[in-house]
């Protein structure tokens, strides 16, 4: 304490042994050799599969002009007004489930209808028509009990065959129109791999990655057998579903020995610019770009005008062709689409003017008329030219991470890979996983991201943990939290089946950590191919059949060997190859370990030189493993190692993100740094012994940037003051010549004030004004019974209503009018509306909390009181103006007192609930015409503050203020009724912001446990 100072420097510091055989001054132990070997020559990867002629024909079409894709199949089917028997036909005459709405089976039961639709789109100008197979998987067809493989095969095969027949007939009839293509439509299924079907269990999934991939493989087989030219993976609302489809297609191509063009189309669900599973469209591109699609695009959900900015972004980042097929505007109240072809074409025109697309089509609500109008408009414009996209490592979570290193300052662009979700890196995390406490594990993950982790490492390698199940569950939980899953994941395991489990749960582009040559080249190739099919980047350990690389030479040799296999034989993008040359522990006391730090740093520089485009990573905490327990020393090692390794080209590392950000190299205690770098750079023979001696002088819990010594020499003599101020001088005294006080403009109320302010001001200053008396006392005189309170309106209401005086304005308005008039005749200047309990909270006691009922009570109470004052003033003009005060009572809840003696922190309701109730009451009173708002009978000031908070919001929305009273003369238009969010947080319809008070807004990707409320075929 400042009142009881203790000095640290009391005992003499321990004497440190001098250096033994230090390296010569000016020697840089990590400098590159003067005579380096040349960079190896690598043979470019050659696609081993034959490519169909469609590639060349499509390439020519997409580069010469804008191509046209057909429009909605479902919209056109609806025009035929088909009945159940049309869907059944002879094939399904006795099927036990209703089939109407299963459009895909029409290729078997009404092929004439589908053929007419295909032909209509071809005649409208479409270059590409899609097969009628949007729901052509065993998963989607299970809704109609048609999941049998032979049925699903028949649907896809005959859909493809029918579409090919239509294109053949059209081309024979119109040879001048050029080639027409059939795209096998592969829809999203009615399941999602990234979103739980249960709010209670966010780790649950309705199906597995393998089940979805198998369903897509079977669909692709039938479409290919039917003759499709293209595979179109479309309407992707969950990127992991599309990754399963692409994984299946890659396996299909490998099995068939041939490759056909693949086009991929995502779906942005709203103006947040994200898919239903929360990804931005650039993150989506990063996740699927590994298959090198022929074209990438967007469809459905949005109209053209809303889709434009997202297509522009996709056009900038994608190095393939880009297309889109938007809806015909937004749906109307009945779910239909009203936008006509010419109008839609005009909305699409900016896409063409700005050269954003190579192909255009239509989705929901579009018809051949729309496609013809689009073609007529777009034919005047040139197609998009594919940009040269900078060659970077592009990974993703919900958001993209495009890693662009700065060669001049690699430390500034270093990627922090959070280490705390690794059972080997955190005892707390390991215990949470073993105990099944996944909430605690999620807290650890979130804290890392909040502390600055760019990538999250996830490792479950422990003998007490079922790695596959733990990895699956934890990644599913991470995906459900957008604050965590916005960053990419590093799926970390020495067991490849655990790696695969993690990859099958993540929609983003991950980094796999790791594979190696430990088990030989064949196993290495097999694992690398699987990683590539999943679209992940990969960490390769410097490990081969002879063991772990320790020397610089071995590290370079092993990494260069792995690099050659990956780029020449597997076709891996060098940007997605990350080498871990093994960060090995130094300072162990063993002489053979002394140069491990130098070897890693020198190998880093040489590996990056010999393996162009690759990245370097490592587990930073390994370097000072022997100094666990001594925080300043261990953390100083991490900081110094990163400084030198990054200078040599290190890109990323598994670190404690918060610490490496805090422990900047420039801030490390210089004396401590000298000892640390002696060990790290192997600058003398006894560097480890000297480090241990010095470490014993430090407080083991201090920070390396603020070292505290335990046993130091006595403090140095304090230097005398230099140039002290003269005695008697007050340095904080005011100047003798002060500037004048500034002039401030008085605040001016921005809201219009009603005329009632002036009338009341005049009344209250000229004489004492009179307010009416008790409403309840007067009501009692009428001796009303239950039927009086019920009237016709509440004749069948299920709760007793006697005593609910407020509803008498609806059931016995004559009684309330007589009471108001009696008070006016007694001399009252102000009468109060009969709305003391006119909130949803108070009316809940009578089960009348419905908003329309509460609105009616307040509106008619205000209107009735205004009618009484108007009649009285007309009869007695000499009496002057009479005012109506909207009575706003305290409710039957209190915000400051607990309803429970046992739990004083409990409250019967929240501030927001009370404020909302008051806002709604004020709205109705205002609409009914009150002159004043009277917040009365306040037994809890916090309730009244909620009322006043609500009224201030109300005045802001209305654009006027009043003495707790309204001004209908200025703001009298009927207030629109706000459509509120339903219980799932989904807006029922779009309304102006002015219609809301404080409804929570749905954050992109946040509420993703909710079920998908409509089937994909209802979207498209």
């Amino acid at each position: 304490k400042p009142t009881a100072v203790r000095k640290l420097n009391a005992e003499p510091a321990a004497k440190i042994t001098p250096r033994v055989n230090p390296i010569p001054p000016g020697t840089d132990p990590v400098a590159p050799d003067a005579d380096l070997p040349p960079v190896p020559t690598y043979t470019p990867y050659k696609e081993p599969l034959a490519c169909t002629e469609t590639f060349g024909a499509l390439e020519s079409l997409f580069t010469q002009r804008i191509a046209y894709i057909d429009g909605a199949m479902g919209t056109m089917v609806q025009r035929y007004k088909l009945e159940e028997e049309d869907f059944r036909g002879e094939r399904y005459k006795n099927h036990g489930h209703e089939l109407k709405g299963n459009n895909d089976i029409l290729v078997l039961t009404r092929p004439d209808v589908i053929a007419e639709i295909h032909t209509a789109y071809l005649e409208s100008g479409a270059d590409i028509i899609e097969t009628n197979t949007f729901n052509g998987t065993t998963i989607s067809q299970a809704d109609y009990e048609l999941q049998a493989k032979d049925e699903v095969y028949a649907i896809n095969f005959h859909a493809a065959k029918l579409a090919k027949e239509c294109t053949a007939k059209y081309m024979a009839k119109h040879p001048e129109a050029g080639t027409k293509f059939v795209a096998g439509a592969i829809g999203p299924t009615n399941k999602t791999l990234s979103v739980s079907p249960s709010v209670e269990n966010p780790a649950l999934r309705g199906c597995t990655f393998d089940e979805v991939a198998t369903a897509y493989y079977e669909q692709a087989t039938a479409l290919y057998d039917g003759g499709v030219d293209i595979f179109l993976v479309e309407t992707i609302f969950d990127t992991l579903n599309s990754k399963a489809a692409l994984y299946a297609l890659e396996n299909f191509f490998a099995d068939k020995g041939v490759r056909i063009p693949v086009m991929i189309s995502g779906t942005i669900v709203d103006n947040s610019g994200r898919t239903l599973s929360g990804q931005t469209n650039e993150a989506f591109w990063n996740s699927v770009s590994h298959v090198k699609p022929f074209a990438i695009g967007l469809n459905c959900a949005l109209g053209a005008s809303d889709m434009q900015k997202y297509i522009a972004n996709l056009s900038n980042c994608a190095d393939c062709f880009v297309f889109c097929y938007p809806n015909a505007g937004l749906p109307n109240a009945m779910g239909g689409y009203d936008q006509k072809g010419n109008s839609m074409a005009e909305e699409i025109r900016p896409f063409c003017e700005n050269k954003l697309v190579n192909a255009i089509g239509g989705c929901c609500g579009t018809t051949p008329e729309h496609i013809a109008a689009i073609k007529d408009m777009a034919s005047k414009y040139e197609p998009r030219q594919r940009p040269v996209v900078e060659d970077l490592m592009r990974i993703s979570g919900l958001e993209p991470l495009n890693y662009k290193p700065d060669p001049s300052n690699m430390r500034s662009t270093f990627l922090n890979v959070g280490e705390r979700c690794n059972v080997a890196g955190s005892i707390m995390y390991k215990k949470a996983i073993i105990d099944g406490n996944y909430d605690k594990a999620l807290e650890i993950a979130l804290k890392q991201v909040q502390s600055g982790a760019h990538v999250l490492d996830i490792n479950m390698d422990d003998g007490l943990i079922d790695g596959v199940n733990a990895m699956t569950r934890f990644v599913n939980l991470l995906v459900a939290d957008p604050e965590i899953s916005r960053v990419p994941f590093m799926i970390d395991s020495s067991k490849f089946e655990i790696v695969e489990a993690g990859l099958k749960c993540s929609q983003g582009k991950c980094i796999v950590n790791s594979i190696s040559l430990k088990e030989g080249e064949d196993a290495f190739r097999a694992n690398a191919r699987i990683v590539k099919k999943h679209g992940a980047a990969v960490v390769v350990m410097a490990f081969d059949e002879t063991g772990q690389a320790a020397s610089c030479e071995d590290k370079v040799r092993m990494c260069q060997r792995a690099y050659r296999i990956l780029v020449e034989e597997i076709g891996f993008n060098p940007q997605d190859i990350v080498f871990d040359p093994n960060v090995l522990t130094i300072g162990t006391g063993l002489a053979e370990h002394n140069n491990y730090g130098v070897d890693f740093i020198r190998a880093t520089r040489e590996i990056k030189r010999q393996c162009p485009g690759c990245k370097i990573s490592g587990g930073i905490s390994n370097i000072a493993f022997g100094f666990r327990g001594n925080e300043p020393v261990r953390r100083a090692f991490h900081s110094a190692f990163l400084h030198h390794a990054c200078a040599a080209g290190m890109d990323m590392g598994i670190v404690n993100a918060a610490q490496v950000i805090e422990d900047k190299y420039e801030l490390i205690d210089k004396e401590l740094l000298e000892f640390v770098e002696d060990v790290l750079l192997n600058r003398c023979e006894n560097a480890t012994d000297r480090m241990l001696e010095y470490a014993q002088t430090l407080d083991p819990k201090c920070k390396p940037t603020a070292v505290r010594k335990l046993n130091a020499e006595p403090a140095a003599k304090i230097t005398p003051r230099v140039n002290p101020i003269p005695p008697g001088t007050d340095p904080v005294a005011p100047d003798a010549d002060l500037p004048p006080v500034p002039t401030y403009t008085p605040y001016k109320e921005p809201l219009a004030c009603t005329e009632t302010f002036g009338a009341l001001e005049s009344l209250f200053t000229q004489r004492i004004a009179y307010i009416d008396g008790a409403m309840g006392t007067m009501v009692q005189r009428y001796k009303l019974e239950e039927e009086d309170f019920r009237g016709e309106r509440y004749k069948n209401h299920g709760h007793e209503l006697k005593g609910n005086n407020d509803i008498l304005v609806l059931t016995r308005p004559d009684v309330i009018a007589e009471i108001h008039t009696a008070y006016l005749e007694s001399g009252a200047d102000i009468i109060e509306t009969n709305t003391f309990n006119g909130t949803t909270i108070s009316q809940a006691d009578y089960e009348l909390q419905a908003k329309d009922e509460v609105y009616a009570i307040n509106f008619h109470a205000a209107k009735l009181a205004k009618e009484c004052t108007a009649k009285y003033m007309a009869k007695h003009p000499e009496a002057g103006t009479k005012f109506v005060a909207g009575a706003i009572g305290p409710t039957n809840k209190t915000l400051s007192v607990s309803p429970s003696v046992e739990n004083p922190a409990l409250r019967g309701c929240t501030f927001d609930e009370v404020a909302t109730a008051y806002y709604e009451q004020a709205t109705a009173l205002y609409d009914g015409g009150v002159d004043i708002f009277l917040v009365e009978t306040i037994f809890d000031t916090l309730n009244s503050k909620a009322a006043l908070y609500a009224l201030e919001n109300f005045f802001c929305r209305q654009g006027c203020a009043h003495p707790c009273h309204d001004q209908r003369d200025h703001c009298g238009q009927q207030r629109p009724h706000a459509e509120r969010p339903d219980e799932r947080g989904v807006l029922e319809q779009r309304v102006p912001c002015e219609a809301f008070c404080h409804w929570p807004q749905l954050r992109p990707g946040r509420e993703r446990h909710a079920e998908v409320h409509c089937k994909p075929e209802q979207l498209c």
Side-chain angles (χ1 to χ4, degrees), residues 778 782 812-823 825 868:
M778 293 297 292
Y782 285 81
R812 287 299 303 275
D814 57 317
V815 170
I816 304 304
E818 284 183 14
I819 296 171
H820 283 326
T821 302
Y823 277 124
E825 290 176 347
C868 291

Side-chain angles (χ1 to χ4, degrees), residues 884-901:
V884 172
I888 298 176
T891 80
N892 55 356
K893 304 285 186 181
T894 170
L895 289 170
S896 298
V897 181
S898 171
S900 167
V901 176

Side-chain angles (χ1 to χ4, degrees), residues 894-897 907 910-911 914 918 938-949:
T894 170
L895 289 170
S896 298
V897 181
R907 293 297 181 268
T910 67
F911 182 98
V914 175
Y918 280 135
I938 299 165
F939 54 77
D940 183 341
T941 309
L942 188 52
N943 283 45
S944 69
K945 289 176 73 177
L948 298 173
Y949 180 88

Side-chain angles (χ1 to χ4, degrees), residues 279-353:
Q279 270 199 318
T280 67
N281 63 340
E282 186 171 358
F284 161 64
W285 163 248
N286 287 2
S287 296
V288 301
S289 60
H290 61 283
V291 298
K292 299 186 182 301
F294 181 83
I296 188 83
L298 298 174
N299 75 293
C300 199
L302 302 176
S305 58
D306 291 329
M307 191 183 284
Q308 182 183 344
K309 57 185 174 183
Y310 307 119
I311 285 292
N313 184 52
L314 205 53
S315 181
N316 287 333
C317 65
D319 56 3
C320 62
F321 293 112
V322 170
F323 65 98
C324 73
Y325 48 115
N327 292 343
L330 294 173
N332 58 32
M334 302 301 293
Y337 293 84
D338 301 323
Q339 191 175 56
K340 302 303 180 185
N342 290 335
S343 177
M344 183 178 181
E346 284 306 309
E347 285 197 1
I348 290 176
R349 187 181 296 276
F351 293 60
C352 305
E353 291 176 336

Side-chain angles (χ1 to χ4, degrees), residues 563-631:
Y563 181 86
R564 185 176 295 279
I565 294 171
L566 290 174
V567 299
E568 291 186 350
E569 300 180 38
I570 310 300
F572 240 95
N573 182 347
Q575 298 290 336
D576 288 341
I577 300 172
V578 183
F579 288 114
D580 184 341
N582 306 322
V583 178
L584 302 176
T585 304
I586 57 176
T588 64
L590 297 176
E592 58 265 34
H593 297 174
N594 289 350
N595 214 49
Y596 279 170
V598 172
D599 283 327
F600 183 96
I601 295 166
R602 295 181 72 245
T604 292
R605 182 184 292 110
E606 186 61 9
I607 291 167
K608 294 198 76 172
R609 190 183 73 85
Q610 290 199 27
C611 305
C614 78
K615 308 292 178 281
I616 299 293
S617 180
I620 305 305
S621 60
N622 293 345
I623 194 71
F625 201 70
F627 293 94
R628 297 189 314 279
N630 193 311
E631 282 291 287

Side-chain angles (χ1 to χ4, degrees), residues 185-443:
I186 298 176
T189 81
N190 54 358
K191 303 286 186 181
T192 168
L193 288 171
S194 297
V195 181
S196 172
S198 167
V199 176
E200 291 76 22
N201 184 4
L204 181 67
R205 295 296 181 267
C207 55
T208 67
F209 182 96
D210 290 339
E211 289 168 345
V212 175
T214 298
Y216 280 134
Y217 187 101
E218 293 165 351
Q219 182 180 25
T221 301
L223 289 170
Y224 180 82
D225 291 349
V228 298
D229 305 299
I230 306 163
F231 283 135
L232 173 58
V233 182
E234 66 164 325
T235 320
I236 297 162
F237 53 78
D238 181 347
T239 309
L240 189 53
N241 283 44
S242 70
K243 288 176 70 177
L246 299 173
Y247 183 87
L249 291 180
E250 287 300 302
N251 284 334
F252 174 79
F253 294 148
D255 293 344
K256 286 291 182 183
V258 67
R259 185 179 293 277
I260 70 173
V262 174
M263 296 170 64
I264 306 171
S265 183
T267 294
I268 301 298
V269 296
D270 56 34
N271 278 316
S272 67
R274 296 176 182 260
T275 63
L276 181 69
S277 54
Q279 270 199 318
T280 67
N281 63 340
E282 186 171 358
F284 161 64
W285 163 248
N286 287 2
S287 296
V288 301
S289 60
H290 61 283
V291 298
K292 299 186 182 301
F294 181 83
I296 188 83
L298 298 174
N299 75 293
C300 199
L302 302 176
S305 58
D306 291 329
M307 191 183 284
Q308 182 183 344
K309 57 185 174 183
Y310 307 119
I311 285 292
N313 184 52
L314 205 53
S315 181
N316 287 333
C317 65
D319 56 3
C320 62
F321 293 112
V322 170
F323 65 98
C324 73
Y325 48 115
N327 292 343
L330 294 173
N332 58 32
M334 302 301 293
Y337 293 84
D338 301 323
Q339 191 175 56
K340 302 303 180 185
N342 290 335
S343 177
M344 183 178 181
E346 284 306 309
E347 285 197 1
I348 290 176
R349 187 181 296 276
F351 293 60
C352 305
E353 291 176 336
N354 296 318
K355 296 185 179 180
L356 301 180
V357 291
N358 300 96
I360 308 174
C363 200
C364 300
T366 60
T367 66
E369 292 78 12
H370 289 80
I371 302 305
I374 291 169
K375 180 179 180 182
D376 182 62
M377 177 279 298
S379 60
K380 306 174 182 64
Y381 297 95
E382 294 181 357
R384 164 183 173 269
Q385 297 299 308
R386 282 174 290 182
V388 176
V389 178
E390 189 173 5
D391 204 11
L392 302 174
M393 171 187 271
R394 299 176 185 272
I395 53 180
S396 62
L398 293 183
E399 297 169 4
L401 195 168
N402 301 326
Y403 172 60
K404 186 176 183 179
D406 180 357
S408 66
N409 185 3
M410 293 290 287
R411 186 67 184 89
S412 67
T413 53
F414 182 81
L415 294 181
N416 298 322
V417 181
E419 68 178 354
R420 312 307 290 175
C421 288
N422 185 322
V423 293
S426 169
I427 295 174
M428 187 182 301
Y429 173 76
K430 177 180 175 180
K431 183 178 186 303
I433 297 299
I434 291 175
D435 294 346
N437 187 355
Y438 283 85
D439 287 342
K440 180 64 177 177
L442 287 170
E443 289 177 11

Side-chain angles (χ1 to χ4, degrees), residues 827-893:
D829 299 295
I830 302 170
I831 62 170
E832 300 173 49
T833 57
N834 182 34
T835 54
F836 186 80
N837 289 303
T839 59
T840 52
I841 294 172
S842 296
Q843 286 299 315
D845 283 353
Y846 299 96
E847 297 180 2
L848 285 176
Q849 67 270 33
K851 294 189 174 87
D852 55 348
E853 290 299 331
V854 175
Y855 182 91
I857 290 169
N858 287 279
F859 175 81
H860 289 288
K863 186 177 179 184
L864 182 64
K866 285 294 288 182
E867 289 171 354
C868 291
T869 56
K871 290 178 182 177
Y872 181 82
M873 289 188 290
K875 187 176 180 182
H876 303 283
E878 75 283 357
T881 305
K882 303 297 179 180
F883 304 92
V884 172
I888 298 176
T891 80
N892 55 356
K893 304 285 186 181

